[in-house]
């Protein structure tokens, strides 16, 4: 029996089969969860419907998280479809492409607003709206962050600021929802080649470097993020909330990079 048997999970943020949310959805399904999906806009509908079908679900709903009326409609739809549910996966972030070109100093007011709205406020809005549907079910919420929240990652810019705010939001929400018996955590994932990642100027160099210098010397996969997501959203993690768990092959523990290679070369 899977560890998520009997759980219902709402998955957001699938753009294609490279999306982190897809890796999470597959792992959830493997562990016995029932799934429902949202897609951001009409262009993504067919792809998300295919994914849903592949993972044994016909529950697919449009939700652009920058629109309050979409989040409200999602609640009504979910209430009619399931009545109640257990897990929300928030795998959504966005900033206009221009914001990744220069430095933080070049951030536009509009770019800042959009990044914070879609990538951070959406977690608050969705949590508030969907919370009543988790009543009495010891619900679990999961969002996705990145190391650029903690340290300077050139060109990550306003998204780094948004991720720092997101991680802080996780802690505040953890406090708020604990009184209802629910938990919320974040996974800080290492870089993965997805659509969102390719908006970031120089992403391939960042990926190359991160892969080479992390202690395991390899890239992380969406399946690895999926397995950690299963744990965090399962009863095994029932005492963990407000946490940011790094799934990055240990990249974030390093203080000096590339030294071993240099030492070997000189020996
Ligand atoms: O290296 C990476 N790929 C990492 C991603 C490392 C660490 C964290 N993350 C985070 C991202 O910042 C994001 O929060 O993981 C989350 C998922 O990102 P992803 O899987 O890398 O990217 P992608 O497959 O592009 O999915 C993100 C999706 C959007 O896809 P597109 O590419 O169409 O922007 O976020 C969704 C959308 O499906 N999204 C929205 N959903 C609802 N309403 C909205 C919106 N307004 N905007 C974007």
């Amino acid at each position: 029996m899977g560890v998520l048997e009997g759980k219902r999970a709402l998955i957001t943020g699938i753009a294609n089969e490279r999306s982190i949310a897809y890796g999470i959805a597959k792992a959830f399904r493997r562990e016995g969860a029932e799934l429902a999906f949202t897609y951001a806009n009409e262009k993504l509908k067919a792809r998300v419907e295919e994914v849903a079908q592949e993972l044994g679900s016909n529950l697919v709903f449009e939700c652009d998280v920058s629109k309050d009326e979409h989040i409200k409609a999602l609640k009504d739809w979910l209430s009619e479809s399931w009545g109640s549910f257990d897990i929300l996966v928030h795998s959504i972030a966005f900033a206009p492409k221009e914001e990744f070109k220069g430095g933080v100093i070049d951030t536009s007011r509009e770019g800042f607003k959009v990044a914070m709205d879609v990538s951070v406020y959406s977690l608050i809005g969705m949590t508030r709206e969907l919370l009543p549907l988790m009543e009495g079910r010891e619900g679990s919420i999961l969002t996705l962050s990145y190391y650029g929240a903690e340290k300077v990652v050139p060109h990550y810019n306003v998204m780094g600021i948004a991720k720092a705010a997101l991680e802080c939001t996780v802690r505040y929400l953890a406090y708020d929802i604990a009184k209802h018996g629910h938990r919320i955590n974040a996974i800080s994932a290492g870089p993965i080649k997805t659509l969102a990642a390719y908006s970031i100027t120089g992403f391939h160099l960042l990926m190359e470097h991160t892969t080479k210098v992390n202690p395991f010397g390899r890239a992380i996969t969406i399946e690895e993020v999926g397995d950690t997501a299963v744990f965090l959203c399962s009863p095994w993690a029932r005492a963990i909330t407000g946490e940011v768990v790094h799934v990055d092959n240990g990249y974030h523990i390093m203080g000096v990079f590339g030294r071993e290679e240099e030492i070997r070369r000189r020996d």
Side-chain angles (χ1 to χ4, degrees):
M1 188 173 128
V3 70
L4 297 181
E5 208 73 50
K7 304 277 185 204
R8 293 180 182 142
L10 175 66
I11 311 284
T12 67
I14 291 186
N16 56 35
E17 68 292 331
R18 289 175 163 228
S19 298
I20 293 176
Y22 177 63
I24 295 174
K26 271 198 307 182
F28 278 17
R29 185 64 192 150
R30 185 194 70 218
E31 295 299 327
E34 260 182 84
L35 306 176
F37 298 85
T38 67
Y39 57 92
N41 54 53
E42 206 51 36
K43 268 194 293 184
L44 296 171
K45 184 177 181 194
R47 187 68 201 98
V48 175
E49 277 175 348
E50 272 174 41
V51 167
Q53 206 175 14
E54 176 201 329
L55 299 175
S57 167
N58 58 7
L59 298 177
V60 173
F61 194 76
E62 182 175 359
C63 182
D64 175 344
V65 295
S66 65
K67 297 181 174 138
D68 283 338
E69 63 276 18
H70 276 214
I71 299 180
K72 283 191 184 347
L74 171 65
K75 179 199 176 177
D76 294 341
W77 171 77
L78 209 56
S79 173
E80 271 170 37
S81 309
W82 273 345
S84 60
F85 79 115
D86 306 274
I87 299 168
L88 167 64
V89 174
H90 174 275
S91 187
I92 293 170
F94 178 78
K97 211 168 172 182
E98 311 80 67
E99 301 298 337
F100 299 109
K101 290 205 167 98
V104 158
I105 202 163
D106 303 305
T107 305
S108 69
R109 191 181 292 272
E110 189 51 28
F112 187 91
K113 278 189 196 165
V114 169
M116 294 298 275
D117 183 32
V118 175
S119 320
V120 186
Y121 178 76
S122 63
L123 181 64
I124 299 173
M126 290 188 96
T127 299
R128 184 176 55 242
E129 209 55 53
L130 299 178
L131 209 65
L133 303 184
M134 289 184 163
E135 185 70 40
R137 295 186 73 111
E138 297 180 0
S140 181
I141 301 173
L142 181 73
T143 188
L144 274 299
S145 191
Y146 175 60
Y147 189 61
E150 301 164 56
K151 301 281 178 190
V152 176
V153 174
H155 297 297
Y156 199 58
N157 296 344
V158 70
M159 195 50 77
I161 297 171
K163 291 301 190 192
L166 182 74
E167 293 183 6
C168 188
T169 300
V170 165
R171 292 186 281 274
Y172 274 88
L173 283 176
Y175 176 71
D176 285 355
I177 68 175
K179 55 173 99 51
H180 302 283
H182 309 310
R183 301 180 296 110
I184 178 167
N185 293 290
I187 289 178
S188 181
I192 300 178
K193 289 179 187 160
T194 63
L195 271 184
Y198 274 109
S199 327
I200 300 158
T201 303
F203 177 78
H204 63 287
L205 290 175
L206 174 113
M207 176 93 203
E208 219 175 85
H209 163 79
T210 313
T211 303
K212 207 162 87 184
V213 303
N214 75 57
F216 286 127
R218 59 172 193 251
I220 67 146
T221 65
I222 59 172
E223 287 74 21
E224 286 163 340
V225 178
D227 287 345
T228 302
V230 165
F231 164 67
L232 286 173
C233 295
S234 78
W236 289 341
R238 63 192 172 279
I240 301 176
T241 194
E243 195 61 81
V244 180
V245 177
H246 293 82
V247 180
D248 66 349
N249 281 327
Y251 178 82
H252 75 285
I253 65 168
M254 300 304 292
V256 176
F257 295 112
R259 205 173 123 80
E260 200 59 32
E261 258 171 42
E262 183 72 4
I263 291 169
R264 274 198 226 110
R265 201 152 12 103
R266 290 191 185 192
D267 278 351

